[in-house]
Amino acid sequence: MERQDLVEVTLNALTKENKAHLVGNPRILTLSGEKAVINVGDRVPYRNIQGVDEAGNVIPGGVEFLDVGVKLEVTPLLTEDQMILVEVKPEVSSSSEREYYLAGQLYTDPQVKTRSAETTARLKSGETLVIGGLIRSEDIENITRIPILSEIPLIGELFVLRNKTHQETELVIFITPHLIETVEGGLEVFEAPPQIEEGEGREWETVEVPSLVAEFPTPAPAELPAPAPVAYTLTLNGEGLSSTPEAGEIVANTPVTVTVTPPEGKQLVSFMVNGEDKADELVENKYTFTITADTTVAAIYEDIPDPEEIAIEELKSKIALDVTVAGNIIMATVEYPDSIDSILKDWMADVKLTLGNELPQGTTVKIKYNGVVVATGEEVIGTQIYLSRLLPEGKRQPITEYKDKVDIWEITVYPNKAVDTIVTIESVMSKDNFTREKVIAWGRANLSI
């Protein structure tokens, strides 16, 4: 059995057993020394993002496209000994969606998975070149949950089914060049029709027929001129980008190194090369590639989060404040979490009372803190009272000292006429003698006397 036939029989057997899948079977005709390209696939659209403005808003760009599917580039050259020197570059790609957050918004971009090879081989006409070893490994986890039951603390995992699978696929590429020869005036073919005579019964007599005869002249190999050098354009978009060689026109197949230096106070979000995020491929903030096409490199940054702001947001999610009103008594209960980041040690804990309307002139209040009277006959001026300022000296403490504590404030209002207003109690953190203030919890109720 010929080698070509053996390859086809093996592929057909694997396909019938569902152990192999034919990704593509492109065929193309070209001249000796001329490159041929064939694309079979889709163009996946996506919206390019230019960056983020000073206000933190995303600057949208135009719609661009990514080509995915099967691509084959082949350049054959016929040698004097009737061998085919073939330069091939096959590429198989597929796309999937990738989600990421930028400036607090969710975006979806296509993510392209590509397997390609590039080689030069010397083959006979009809001989098959096999390129293998393009292996992709994937770990897939499927999670099935029973609603409600799977969310019960401690025992919820009993109602969750997790199925992990590991899948490896190998892409094998078969390339078979065929030499097609032309003859001036066509082929000279000699053929005689068969002579058949019918005998008795079902016996037949067949006369031998001469086989087909054709003569092919041997074409002389073409001498190709050396190709002129091709230059591609490298474009850099965004701050902190530099390249070696410098951006501009660069001769094809030249190694290029792009260096990313984020501006002060910024961190890199995406490093896009022709619409594909290559941030994971940066090595010491450098990305090196060989330029073979017009290439655009863009960098997208975001502000580096302030550690204090992160700790404050975490505290906001854990603290609880409740406000109730009974007659002329306002009750405020503040429950602090069992852990508060020590980076907040310079922030003082305070409680602030704000009235929707000014109380009648001469209105006084009595204030209790955890059952102890800290102020009585205090006249209310304006619409705000910092309750923590009324504490005895030394009782007002940093917020970090309130871990796992519960504070109860009781404010009794004594107006000299009817009052109907909204009361807002805020748990705040202050710093630098109240010049900086953060509200971490609040509650509201109506006071009607």
Side-chain angles (χ1 to χ4, degrees), residues 17-39:
E17 296 177 6
N18 291 325
K19 294 182 179 179
H21 171 65
L22 185 62
V23 177
N25 188 21
R27 299 167 185 261
I28 196 166
L29 177 68
T30 186
L31 298 175
S32 175
E34 295 294 329
K35 181 171 76 170
V37 180
I38 186 169
N39 279 302

Side-chain angles (χ1 to χ4, degrees), residues 271-331:
F271 177 71
M272 310 298 292
V273 179
N274 281 349
E276 185 176 355
D277 195 348
K278 298 286 187 178
D280 293 340
E281 299 182 27
L282 287 169
V283 178
E284 295 181 351
N285 285 347
K286 297 180 184 294
Y287 177 74
T288 301
F289 66 101
T290 300
I291 191 164
T292 57
D294 290 340
T295 304
T296 299
V297 178
I300 301 174
Y301 306 100
E302 67 179 6
D303 292 334
I304 297 176
D306 183 353
E308 274 195 353
E309 292 295 333
I310 295 175
I312 291 172
E313 291 301 318
E314 182 180 3
L315 179 57
K316 285 181 179 180
S317 66
K318 295 180 178 180
I319 194 171
L321 188 149
D322 180 65
V323 179
T324 59
V325 173
N328 66 332
I329 299 176
I330 305 168
M331 297 289 293

Side-chain angles (χ1 to χ4, degrees), residues 103 129 132 141 165 207 250 295 364 402 449:
L129 170 65
E141 181 178 10
T165 58
V207 180
I250 302 174
T295 304
T364 60
Y402 283 79
I449 306 174

Side-chain angles (χ1 to χ4, degrees), residues 47-64:
R47 183 170 291 280
N48 188 22
I49 296 177
Q50 299 294 330
V52 180
D53 60 20
E54 296 180 355
N57 298 317
V58 175
I59 303 174
V63 176
E64 298 186 8

Side-chain angles (χ1 to χ4, degrees), residues 222-446:
E223 293 185 4
L224 299 178
V230 178
Y232 294 105
T233 302
L234 173 65
T235 305
L236 302 180
N237 290 337
E239 299 179 81
L241 289 177
S242 60
S243 66
T244 305
E246 293 183 356
E249 287 195 350
I250 302 174
V251 175
N253 299 317
T254 299
V256 178
T257 298
V258 178
T259 303
V260 185
T261 307
E264 185 176 355
K266 303 282 187 179
Q267 64 183 7
L268 185 68
V269 176
S270 298
F271 177 71
M272 310 298 292
V273 179
N274 281 349
E276 185 176 355
D277 195 348
K278 298 286 187 178
D280 293 340
E281 299 182 27
L282 287 169
V283 178
E284 295 181 351
N285 285 347
K286 297 180 184 294
Y287 177 74
T288 301
F289 66 101
T290 300
I291 191 164
T292 57
D294 290 340
T295 304
T296 299
V297 178
I300 301 174
Y301 306 100
E302 67 179 6
D303 292 334
I304 297 176
D306 183 353
E308 274 195 353
E309 292 295 333
I310 295 175
I312 291 172
E313 291 301 318
E314 182 180 3
L315 179 57
K316 285 181 179 180
S317 66
K318 295 180 178 180
I319 194 171
L321 188 149
D322 180 65
V323 179
T324 59
V325 173
N328 66 332
I329 299 176
I330 305 168
M331 297 289 293
T333 303
V334 185
E335 297 184 25
Y336 296 91
D338 56 3
S339 63
I340 300 176
D341 198 318
S342 60
I343 199 173
L344 303 177
K345 59 183 176 59
D346 295 330
W347 290 82
M348 304 299 289
D350 290 296
V351 175
K352 180 171 65 174
L353 181 149
T354 303
L355 301 168
N357 303 311
E358 288 191 14
L359 296 180
Q361 188 174 1
T363 299
T364 60
V365 296
K366 180 176 71 174
I367 299 174
K368 289 183 180 181
Y369 174 65
N370 291 334
V372 178
V373 176
V374 295
T376 184
E378 188 79 18
E379 185 173 355
V380 180
I381 301 175
T383 59
Q384 286 190 343
I385 303 176
Y386 277 89
L387 303 179
S388 302
R389 287 183 171 181
L390 302 176
L391 293 174
E393 187 175 353
K395 292 292 184 179
R396 184 169 173 263
Q397 296 179 318
I399 189 70
T400 51
E401 298 298 322
Y402 283 79
K403 289 186 292 187
D404 207 20
K405 287 184 63 177
V406 177
D407 278 355
I408 300 176
W409 293 86
E410 180 181 322
I411 304 101
T412 306
V413 182
Y414 300 101
N416 53 19
K417 64 170 65 174
V419 171
D420 189 4
T421 185
I422 296 294
V423 176
T424 302
I425 303 290
E426 295 174 318
S427 176
V428 299
M429 296 163 44
S430 61
K431 193 175 183 181
D432 302 331
N433 195 24
F434 293 94
T435 57
R436 297 177 62 189
E437 183 178 286
K438 298 282 187 180
V439 177
I440 54 178
W442 64 276
R444 181 172 291 170
N446 187 68

